[in-house]
């Protein structure tokens, strides 16, 4: 039985609108991940936006509980029903039906559709909810209805706001495996398992704690799919159901170990020794952790979350590392989780097709991250051992909390693993130090959550939507329009009647040409005019709950109801060029690198574009050149923009690429430029030729498995090209060459010769003949195959390497003789006088400083050179004593 399909079909038959599962990353600053089925309806329940039509809904929502307030990560694998990722079946009423219908629907589905034995069903209600008690008695005996307190059966969204009593449906799993002291209805044992929670949202709690009845009570229900499947199949652990069977089989094949279902293990407990049972349980826990975490990794990667050092990406990394560590415990020493993730994609891709579409890319990302972590596991063990050695030297019994956190945070060692290793040695851990580090990490992580922000939270959007509905965007066709100001809001999005000159706020126009930031392009800027006068500058444009609002700085007073001329800034043209270029870049990436390429983010501004995409490694120079060439080729084809509106299925059948997380209605806008086809609500050029030139400026890494290309086109490309030409012109001037390549080659050759000369000089000094006089090294030689410059290098090196030295070198070239002399640490010998006196024998002259001098002469007789060398030695010996 496909329970998910049966559930959706059942409530659809009752008139409920079916909603797709919203992204795991919500547009909500208060949540790290989507953690319940009601999250996508939260703004309706809180009254931030109007109630939709129809006002009843149903969904099967993917949820993650692995961070923030709701964190089940450390429990996974050790309990029968905790998961990081799970599906929540739910039906919702926004002021339509209430307790009677909700209870009736639940009972009908559980007993007639799912076919649970009524004699095994039990119900809890809030201790004060007499109405629910009466209604339930129409379906079940009163002896199987239990009243519970606030802790178990009262739900509230926060300290204030909507809240109400709950009613939960339980299934008796039987006494065969559950006979502990708490295994009674209402106890803490697992025999009576809750499968469905019905929340009766009938009150609003104010800041004083008082409950006020809501005018339109609502219903919010949740039923875990994994739990229901296990119960239907008679399994006492969610991981033992058919839902996890293909994943468990994959892990079994990878590890060569066996996985025992709880029911099988419990039945055979008496046949095994305790140590075998304990070892088996550890392996089973590792199987379950890997299976659960592989599902979470697959869905988070497929939905665009990437491995990172902070925020959601950090949680994803922790999930993967925990799974890998359990693979390590099962004997695996190389990347394996990516293979399990592949099985998840194959098995669950039938319902979530994007898993199949992105399977190869997310497997590559997973594998790369795993391989990095496998390099750190051994390092983590080394750190652990080093701290143990330090403790023994200091005779300490408590393991450093900061080191334990580093093992947890950097090397992926959960606290319980560190505690287990210490427990075997009779040692404890500084939990206070660990928790301090953990709290600091949580604070850092929370600071990077992304959402709509506190100022938006309390905005007057519901009133505006109720009064006016969504305002009209006319910016696809027009850059300016006469329009009426429907409403003005302050910086906190509270409605006001007017803005004085010099103030900032937000304006809602009846019809607006300003494009709100979405899908990459930044929000439009511009002006508001009154006749010929500019009365406000438009600084930005955003969309909140369907309302297109522009942020303004007033130059003259404005009030609601005023008629103005709204005019978009000319930078829109350049933004449009970069946005259309982004589409062509996306197309080129898929053509050159492969169909695994998936957009992971983008930013489109007037002077640049930034495009993030899934790819396992850096792009080569050749690949970048091919991509740039293909984009420019598509620009040169002068393909006109084709804009069509069609159904989402029709668009996908046409080959249009969609971005995960974007909200698409039943009708979608499809933008085509030749072979490039994408779902897009953004602004574009009318023809690719308008884009001009396209240059890739930079390619870099964003995170594991995600690359980034930065590029320019239009006016920005002209400035980029001009800057490059200016640089070349400057190089020509500095190189004194019209051909830059030849000039650089000449410079390289000169550098090479200089290096060779320096190396030769270095070697020459060591091999020169010398005599030592009173601690001074005397060197007087004629050197062949070197010039005067190289002679100077040798003398400089000789002076650097000796405290006392006197050196005179003779070189000849082209019939001329050069003498070069250097003196260091000798008071009675001056280089200038020395070289001048020797040069006279050769018919020349020269001189210089006391420490360095040069001279020249003529070759009239080869014997004269030897005579000059003899004289140089004689003068030096006499002055050196």
């Amino acid at each position: 039985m496909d329970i998910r399909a049966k559930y959706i079909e059942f409530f659809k038959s009752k008139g409920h609108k079916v909603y797709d599962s919203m992204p795991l990353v919500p547009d909500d600053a208060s949540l790290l991940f989507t953690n319940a089925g009601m999250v996508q309806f939260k703004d309706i329940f809180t009254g931030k936006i109007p109630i939709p039509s129809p006002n009843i809904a149903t969904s099967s929502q993917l949820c993650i509980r692995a961070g923030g307030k709701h964190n089940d990560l450390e429990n996974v694998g050790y309990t029968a029903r905790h998961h990081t990722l799970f599906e929540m079946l739910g039906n919702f009423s926004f002021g339509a039906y209430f307790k009677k219908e909700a209870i009736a629907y639940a009972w009908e589905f559980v007993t007639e559709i799912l076919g649970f034995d009524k004699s095994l069903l039990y119900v809890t209600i809030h201790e004060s909810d007499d109405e629910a008690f009466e209604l339930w008695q129409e379906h079940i005996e009163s002896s199987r209805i239990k009243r519970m307190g606030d802790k178990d059966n009262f739900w509230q969204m926060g300290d204030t706001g909507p809240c109400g009593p709950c009613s939960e449906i339980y299934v008796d799993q039987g006494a065969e495996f559950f006979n502990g002291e708490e295994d009674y209805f209402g106890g803490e044992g697992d025999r009576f398992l809750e499968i469905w929670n019905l929340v009766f949202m009938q009150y609003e709690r104010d800041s004083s704690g008082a409950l006020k009845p809501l005018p339109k009570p609502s219903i919010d229900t949740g039923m875990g799919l994994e739990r229901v499947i296990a119960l239907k199949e008679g399994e006492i652990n969610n991981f033992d159901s058919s839902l996890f069977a293909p994943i468990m089989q994959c892990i079994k094949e990878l590890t060569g170990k066996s996985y025992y279902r709880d029911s099988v293990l419990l039945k055979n407990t008496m046949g095994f020794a305790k140590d075998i049972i304990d070892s088996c349980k550890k392996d089973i826990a590792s199987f379950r952790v890997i299976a659960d975490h592989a599902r979470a990794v697959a869905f988070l990667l497929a939905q665009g979350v990437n491995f990172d050092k902070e925020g959601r990406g950090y949680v994803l990394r922790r999930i993967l590392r925990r799974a890998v560590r359990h693979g390590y415990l099962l004997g695996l020493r190389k990347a394996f989780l990516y293979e399990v993730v592949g099985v998840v994609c194959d098995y669950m891709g039938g319902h979530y097709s994007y898993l199949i579409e992105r399977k190869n890319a997310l497997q590559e990302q997973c594998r790369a991250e795993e391989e990095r972590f496998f390099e750190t596991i051994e390092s983590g063990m080394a750190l652990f051992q080093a701290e143990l050695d330090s403790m023994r030297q200091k005779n300490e019994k408590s393991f450093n909390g900061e080191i334990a956190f580093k093992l947890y945070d950097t090397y992926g060692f959960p606290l319980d693993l560190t505690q287990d290793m210490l427990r075997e040695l009779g040692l404890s851990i500084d939990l206070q130090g660990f928790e301090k580090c953990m709290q600091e990490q949580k604070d850092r992580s929370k600071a990077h959550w992304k959402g709509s922000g506190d100022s938006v939270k309390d905005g007057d959007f519901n009133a505006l939507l109720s009064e006016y509905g969504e305002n009209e965007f006319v910016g696809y066709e027009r850059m300016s329009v006469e329009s009426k100001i429907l409403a003005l809001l302050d910086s906190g999005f509270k409605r006001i009647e007017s803005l004085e000159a010099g103030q900032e706020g937000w304006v809602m126009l009846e019809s607006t040409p300003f494009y709100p930031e979405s899908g990459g392009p930044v929000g439009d800027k511009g002006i508001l005019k009154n006749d010929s006068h500019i009365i406000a500058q438009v600084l930005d444009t955003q969309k909140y709950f369907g309302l297109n609002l522009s942020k303004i700085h007033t130059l003259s007073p404005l009030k609601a109801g005023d008629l103005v001329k709204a005019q978009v800034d000319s930078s829109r043209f350049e933004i449009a060029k970069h946005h259309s270029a982004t589409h062509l870049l996306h197309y080129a990436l898929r053509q050159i690198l492969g169909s695994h390429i998936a957009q992971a983010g983008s930013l489109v501004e007037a002077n640049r574009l930034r495009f993030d995409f899934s790819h396992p490694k850096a792009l080569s120079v050749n690949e970048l050149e091919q991509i740039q060439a293909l984009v420019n080729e598509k620009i040169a084809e002068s393909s006109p923009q084709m804009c069509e509106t069609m159904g989402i299925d029709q668009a996908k059948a046409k080959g249009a690429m969609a971005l995960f997380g974007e909200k698409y209605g039943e009708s979608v806008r499809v933008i085509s430029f030749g072979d490039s086809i994408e779902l897009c609500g953004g602004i574009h050029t009318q023809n690719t030729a308008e884009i001009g030139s396209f240059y890739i400026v930079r390619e870099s890494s964003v995170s594991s498995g995600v690359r980034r290309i930065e590029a320019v086109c239009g006016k920005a490309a002209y400035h980029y090209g001009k800057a490059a030409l200016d640089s070349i012109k400057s190089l020509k001037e500095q190189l004194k060459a019209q051909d830059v390549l030849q000039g650089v080659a000449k410079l390289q050759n000169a550098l090479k010769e200089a290096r060779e000369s320096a190396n030769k000089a270095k070697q020459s000094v060591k091999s020169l003949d010398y005599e030592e006089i009173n601690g001074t090294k005397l060197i007087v030689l004629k050197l062949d195959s070197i010039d005067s410059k190289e002679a100077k290098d040798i003398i400089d090196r000789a002076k650097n390497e000796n405290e006392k030295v006197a050196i005179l070198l003779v070189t000849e070239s082209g019939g001329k003789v050069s003498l070069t002399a250097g003196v260091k640490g000798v008071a009675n010998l001056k280089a200038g006088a020395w070289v001048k006196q020797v040069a006279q024998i050769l018919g020349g002259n020269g001189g210089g400083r006391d420490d360095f001098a040069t001279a020249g002469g003529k070759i009239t007789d080869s014997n004269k050179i030897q005579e000059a060398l003899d004289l140089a030695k004689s003068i030096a010996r006499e002055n050196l004593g």
Side-chain angles (χ1 to χ4, degrees):
M1 177 189 293
D2 187 339
I3 293 176
R4 183 196 300 112
K6 289 289 185 182
Y7 186 89
I8 297 299
E9 180 185 333
F10 175 81
F11 281 99
K12 185 177 181 181
S13 72
K14 303 295 185 182
H16 293 63
K17 179 180 177 179
V18 179
Y19 285 78
D20 290 335
S21 177
M22 73 175 288
L24 289 168
V25 176
D27 184 17
D28 188 329
S30 66
L31 296 175
L32 192 60
F33 295 110
T34 298
N35 56 28
M38 62 79 61
V39 170
Q40 68 172 310
F41 308 112
K42 180 179 175 181
D43 293 330
I44 302 172
F45 283 128
T46 57
K48 191 178 294 184
I49 60 175
I51 293 172
S53 180
N55 55 357
I56 51 178
T58 187
S59 69
S60 179
Q61 176 64 51
L62 284 168
C63 302
I64 287 274
R65 291 186 180 175
K69 180 180 178 182
H70 300 283
N71 185 1
D72 291 337
L73 189 61
E74 301 299 336
N75 294 319
V76 172
Y78 301 100
T79 70
R81 56 187 180 274
H82 279 104
H83 302 282
T84 50
L85 179 132
F86 60 94
E87 286 189 69
M88 186 69 81
L89 304 169
N91 59 286
F92 310 88
S93 166
F94 315 115
Y97 61 78
F98 198 45
K99 294 180 184 179
K100 181 177 179 64
E101 293 84 354
I103 288 172
Y105 290 155
W107 188 256
E108 181 182 355
F109 185 78
V110 168
T111 59
E112 297 183 22
I113 305 301
L114 294 182
F116 277 106
D117 186 342
K118 294 180 181 179
S119 66
L120 299 178
L121 299 179
Y122 292 78
V123 171
T124 63
I125 60 172
H126 189 260
E127 57 191 2
S128 65
D129 199 347
D130 295 332
E131 181 185 5
F133 184 77
E134 294 298 327
L135 290 169
W136 269 117
Q137 287 186 90
E138 297 177 15
H139 307 284
I140 192 172
E141 296 87 346
S142 59
S143 61
R144 286 190 279 131
I145 304 173
K146 189 177 185 65
R147 294 178 186 263
M148 306 284 278
D150 286 356
K151 179 183 176 182
D152 298 292
N153 281 69
F154 195 90
W155 177 92
Q156 58 188 49
M157 190 173 293
D159 294 335
T160 60
C163 56
C166 305
S167 180
E168 298 175 326
I169 301 175
Y170 286 77
V171 175
D172 181 4
Q173 297 190 84
E176 182 181 4
F177 302 116
F178 306 96
N179 47 29
E181 293 182 358
E182 290 292 327
D183 285 315
Y184 60 88
F185 182 45
E188 295 296 326
D190 286 342
R191 174 178 169 181
F192 293 87
L193 187 63
E194 176 246 316
I195 60 167
W196 203 344
N197 185 17
L198 314 178
V199 176
F200 306 133
M201 210 177 299
Q202 64 187 90
Y203 301 114
E204 181 169 13
R205 190 187 297 276
D206 63 24
S207 56
S208 69
L211 297 177
K212 178 183 177 181
L214 289 172
K216 291 186 177 180
S218 299
I219 291 294
D220 163 23
T221 80
M223 177 164 60
L225 178 64
E226 291 79 7
R227 190 175 296 191
V228 176
I229 290 175
L231 284 168
K232 279 294 297 176
E233 294 177 354
E235 299 294 349
I236 60 175
N237 190 299
N238 290 1
F239 292 99
D240 296 346
S241 73
S242 60
L243 191 62
F244 287 89
I247 308 174
M248 295 302 187
Q249 180 60 32
C250 175
I251 301 170
K252 179 180 178 180
E253 293 171 359
L254 289 170
T255 62
K257 294 181 178 290
S258 298
Y259 174 77
Y260 295 99
R261 290 161 36 237
D262 274 3
S263 56
V264 173
L265 188 65
L266 288 170
K267 284 181 179 179
N268 292 279
T269 298
M270 300 304 294
F272 295 109
K274 184 180 183 301
D275 59 340
I276 296 177
I277 293 293
D278 291 341
S279 175
C280 187
K281 286 181 178 179
K282 288 181 180 179
D283 287 352
I284 290 172
S286 292
F287 264 77
R288 290 169 179 170
V289 170
I290 295 168
D292 173 273
H293 291 7
R295 298 200 328 156
V297 168
F299 276 95
L300 286 171
L301 285 175
Q303 292 195 17
V305 179
N306 300 306
F307 298 107
D308 207 342
K309 296 178 181 178
E310 56 197 15
R312 298 177 177 107
Y314 173 80
V315 176
L316 171 59
R317 176 167 285 165
R318 282 287 300 111
I319 293 172
L320 177 138
R321 290 184 171 188
R322 191 168 188 266
V324 170
R325 199 272 297 183
H326 278 275
Y328 190 87
L329 293 178
L330 291 174
L332 297 172
R333 293 295 181 270
K334 63 180 182 178
F336 69 92
L337 190 66
Y338 74 96
E339 295 190 52
V340 187
V341 163
V343 172
V344 174
C345 292
D346 293 336
Y347 184 63
M348 302 191 71
H351 185 72
Y352 298 102
S353 58
Y354 56 83
L355 289 175
I356 298 295
E357 295 167 5
R358 302 176 188 180
K359 175 184 174 182
N360 292 337
L362 63 89
Q363 279 190 292
E364 286 287 349
Q365 285 179 263
C366 181
R367 183 173 185 169
E369 181 70 17
E370 280 189 88
E371 288 173 345
R372 271 190 289 274
F373 181 49
F374 264 110
E375 294 173 1
T376 70
I377 290 180
E378 298 295 344
S379 300
M381 293 303 297
L383 175 64
F384 178 80
Q385 187 59 50
E387 179 60 19
L388 284 183
D389 294 342
S390 175
M391 289 173 62
R392 291 191 183 102
Q393 290 176 4
K394 299 175 184 177
N395 197 28
E396 295 176 347
K397 297 295 182 181
S398 181
F399 194 85
N400 187 297
E402 292 185 12
I403 299 297
F405 181 77
K406 188 174 183 179
L407 286 169
Y408 169 88
D409 189 53
T410 304
Y411 300 103
F413 282 52
L415 178 62
D416 58 357
L417 173 61
T418 305
Q419 288 175 313
D420 286 343
M421 293 188 293
L422 291 170
R423 193 176 296 117
E424 294 171 359
L425 301 171
L427 301 174
S428 62
I429 190 169
D430 173 20
L431 287 175
Q432 186 175 358
F434 178 89
E435 292 298 337
K436 179 183 177 183
C437 294
M438 175 65 80
Q439 187 57 50
E440 291 172 354
Q441 184 275 324
K442 287 180 179 178
D443 292 341
R444 290 193 300 270
S445 179
K446 187 175 182 180
H448 287 85
W449 297 357
K450 291 179 170 56
S452 55
D454 292 338
S455 61
V456 177
K457 181 175 65 176
D458 300 319
D460 291 334
F461 305 109
N462 193 356
L464 293 174
L465 285 165
S466 299
E467 186 173 350
Y468 301 112
E470 297 181 4
N471 52 338
E472 180 186 17
F473 173 66
V474 296
Y476 292 133
E477 303 84 17
R478 304 171 67 179
M479 290 281 286
S480 65
V481 65
E482 299 280 349
S483 188
K484 177 183 178 181
I485 296 178
L486 294 179
L488 293 168
L489 300 97
D490 63 17
S491 58
F493 298 93
K494 289 296 185 181
R495 196 169 178 180
I496 53 178
E497 287 303 313
S498 63
L499 283 170
E500 297 302 319
Q503 289 186 306
E504 285 192 1
W506 295 83
V507 62
M508 176 183 177
L509 298 173
E510 187 173 28
S511 297
T512 177
F514 300 114
Y515 179 78
E517 181 175 347
S518 177
V522 296
D524 273 337
K525 298 178 181 180
I527 57 173
L528 300 182
K529 297 176 68 176
N530 184 353
D531 296 326
S532 59
H533 301 289
I534 299 174
I535 56 177
Q537 295 173 326
V538 175
L539 308 176
D540 189 18
T541 305
Q542 298 288 332
K543 198 167 190 176
Y544 300 111
F545 307 105
L547 297 176
N548 185 317
L549 304 178
S550 290
K551 185 178 183 180
I552 58 174
H553 174 82
T554 59
L555 303 178
S556 299
L558 277 182
K559 64 180 185 298
D562 284 353
L563 292 176
V564 295
K565 182 176 182 180
Q567 185 172 312
V568 180
D569 187 81
S570 60
S571 61
R572 155 79 81 84
F573 295 113
E574 296 305 310
I575 295 172
K577 291 174 186 178
H578 282 87
H579 191 197
S580 297
T582 301
H583 280 222
L584 299 184
L585 173 60
H586 194 181
Y587 168 80
L589 287 167
R590 292 174 67 87
Q591 293 298 307
I592 303 300
L593 302 180
S595 59
H596 67 279
I597 295 294
Q599 182 172 336
S602 71
L603 174 68
V604 178
E605 296 179 325
N607 61 350
R608 66 171 183 142
L609 68 85
R610 188 182 73 204
F611 189 80
D612 300 341
F613 56 98
S614 56
H615 192 61
K617 57 185 178 181
L619 275 62
S620 67
V621 172
N622 183 52
E623 287 172 331
L624 289 170
E625 288 177 349
Q626 289 184 66
I627 292 163
Q628 181 172 282
L630 182 53
V631 172
N632 280 293
E633 180 183 321
K634 292 301 174 181
I635 291 172
E637 288 177 358
S638 300
S639 299
Q641 178 205 132
M642 289 187 61
C643 179
E644 303 171 276
T645 301
M646 61 185 71
I648 183 72
D649 293 334
Q650 183 184 356
K652 290 182 178 179
K654 187 175 181 177
M657 287 186 288
L659 301 183
F660 192 90
E662 289 291 314
K663 295 180 180 179
Y664 299 109
E666 294 180 2
S667 294
V668 294
R669 189 168 178 262
V670 180
I671 299 294
S672 302
F673 289 108
D675 297 326
S676 168
I677 309 173
E678 292 194 30
L679 302 183
C680 183
I683 49 174
H684 289 279
T685 59
Q686 293 303 307
N687 190 295
T688 58
E690 297 173 23
I691 299 171
S693 299
F694 173 88
Y695 294 107
I696 294 175
V697 176
R698 186 167 179 254
E699 190 270 346
S700 60
S701 172
V702 177
S703 62
S704 178
V706 179
R707 307 299 300 178
R708 169 173 292 172
I709 281 180
E710 297 172 65
V712 292
C713 66
K715 288 182 179 179
Y718 166 75
H719 292 300
Y720 178 77
K722 185 177 183 302
L725 291 173
D726 289 344
S727 296
I728 292 173
K729 182 180 178 180
S730 178
L731 276 173
K732 287 180 178 180
E733 293 173 352
Q734 293 182 43
L735 294 169
K736 297 180 181 180
Q738 286 301 306
D739 189 320
V740 173
L741 294 180
Q742 285 185 1
V744 170
K746 184 178 179 181
L747 195 63
Q748 288 175 328
N749 287 333
L751 180 61
K752 181 181 178 181
E753 289 175 1
R755 286 172 177 166
E756 290 176 349
S757 175
N759 289 332
K760 187 185 294 184
K762 181 178 179 181
Q763 296 300 321
S764 298
V765 172
K766 294 179 180 179
S767 60
L768 294 179
D769 292 332
Y770 69 92
E771 60 181 294
E772 190 169 321
I773 303 173
N774 293 329
T776 299
K777 183 180 288 186
L778 174 62
I779 303 171
V780 177
L781 293 171
K782 177 180 181 294
L783 296 181
D784 298 322
S785 301
I786 69 168
D787 56 24
S788 58
K789 181 182 181 300
E790 290 171 317
K792 180 181 182 300
D793 291 339
I794 292 173
I795 289 174
D796 287 342
R797 185 169 292 279
K799 290 164 71 176
N800 289 333
E801 294 178 356
N802 296 278
E803 289 297 322
K804 292 183 178 183
V805 66
I807 178 169
L808 187 148
L809 301 178
V810 178
T811 61
E812 61 176 296
S813 176
K816 295 182 178 180
V817 178
S818 296
L819 293 86
T820 309
V823 176
K824 177 185 176 185
V826 181
N828 298 330
L829 182 64
K830 311 297 182 184
W834 188 23
V835 76
K836 183 176 182 178
Q837 189 174 353
V838 174
Q840 290 175 0
I841 294 179
L842 299 172
N845 203 348
R849 303 190 308 268
D850 291 348
D851 65 332
F852 180 80
T854 60
K858 298 177 182 179
I859 303 176
T860 56
D861 184 347
S862 59
N863 292 330
K864 288 289 184 180
I865 293 178
Q866 186 59 49
E867 186 179 339
L869 293 172
D870 292 341
L871 176 61
K873 290 179 181 179
S874 175
I875 293 170
R877 287 167 181 159
E878 181 179 348
N879 284 278
L880 294 174

